[in-house]
């Protein structure tokens, strides 16, 4: 202003009522003799500042939710891996023993049928666990596929 250049300022004011307001003042200085005047306008921009603060709060909350979702996704993947392996181990033992027992020639027909049911059900459960792992892989990051020509 002292140099005679237009100026602007944005400032926070606390009124006598204790309410915080933001103003934006802009104008041009002018001299009349040895006196300096400032011809301009002041605009209340409190609403704009409140909107910007709310926007920042929403962005922060969204970032926190993204972090939380990533943690939940990782926990789900860990659970799927742990549950799959914990189910697969005893299932493999059951299936192995059932197949081994079904090879025993001293078993009767009814026992062979029952062991065959155990083997079939264990195979179905093993397929379900494989499907669970496949779903987890599909949900994970997709790697690009490289194509090569073949004859």
């Amino acid at each position: 202003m002292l140099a005679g250049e237009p100026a602007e300022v944005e400032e926070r004011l606390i009124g006598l009522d204790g309410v915080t307001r933001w103003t934006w003042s802009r104008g041009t200085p002018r001299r009349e003799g040895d006196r300096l005047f400032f011809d301009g306008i002041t605009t209340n921009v409190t609403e704009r500042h409140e909107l910007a603060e709310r926007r920042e709060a929403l962005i922060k909350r969204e970032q926190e939710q993204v972090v939380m979702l990533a943690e939940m996704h990782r926990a789900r993947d860990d659970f799927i891996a742990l549950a799959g392996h914990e189910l697969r181990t005893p299932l493999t033992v059951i299936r192995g023993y059932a197949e081994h027992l079904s090879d025993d020639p001293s078993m009767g027909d009814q026992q062979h049928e029952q062991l065959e049911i155990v083997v079939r059900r264990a195979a179905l459960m093993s397929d379900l666990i494989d499907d669970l792992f496949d779903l987890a892989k599909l949900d994970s990051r997709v790697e690009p596929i490289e194509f090569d020509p073949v004859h």
Side-chain angles (χ1 to χ4, degrees):
M1 282 179 40
L2 292 173
E5 297 292 324
E8 67 178 73
V9 65
E10 195 167 303
E11 57 194 355
R12 182 177 65 115
L13 306 172
I14 300 175
L16 294 175
D17 56 1
V19 176
T20 301
R21 293 175 182 86
W22 286 87
T23 61
W24 175 40
S25 301
R26 59 240 177 252
T28 305
R30 83 179 145 82
R31 288 202 177 269
E32 286 185 12
D34 60 346
R35 296 175 68 187
L36 178 65
F37 293 93
F38 187 74
D39 297 327
I41 186 168
T42 298
T43 306
N44 183 346
V45 291
T46 303
E47 185 177 340
R48 181 179 54 133
H49 276 268
E50 289 171 350
L51 288 173
E53 289 171 4
R54 279 191 255 157
R55 179 181 157 270
E56 290 301 317
L58 287 172
I59 289 171
K60 183 180 177 187
R61 193 169 86 202
E62 180 185 19
Q63 290 169 343
E64 291 168 351
Q65 288 175 344
V66 166
V67 168
M68 183 182 68
L69 285 172
E71 289 173 3
M72 289 173 60
H73 187 72
R74 184 190 49 74
R76 187 207 61 187
D77 289 346
D78 291 347
F79 173 76
I80 288 172
L82 179 67
H85 289 293
E86 290 298 320
L87 289 171
R88 182 175 275 167
T89 300
L91 199 57
T92 303
V93 172
I94 292 169
R95 187 174 177 184
Y97 278 126
E99 287 173 348
H100 178 70
L101 286 172
S102 68
D103 292 340
D104 187 354
S106 65
M107 294 283 193
D109 290 340
Q110 186 177 6
Q111 291 171 321
H112 278 286
E113 289 174 18
Q114 291 172 346
L115 286 172
E116 190 58 40
I117 291 171
V118 170
V119 169
R120 263 196 329 264
R121 294 294 181 188
L124 288 173
M125 289 295 292
S126 183
D127 290 345
L128 283 173
I129 293 169
D130 290 341
D131 290 346
L132 184 68
F133 284 135
D134 289 343
L135 283 173
K137 286 178 195 172
L138 286 175
D139 197 31
S140 65
R141 190 178 306 174
V142 177
E143 295 295 323
I145 298 173
E146 294 184 25
F147 294 97
D148 289 326
V150 294
H151 295 291

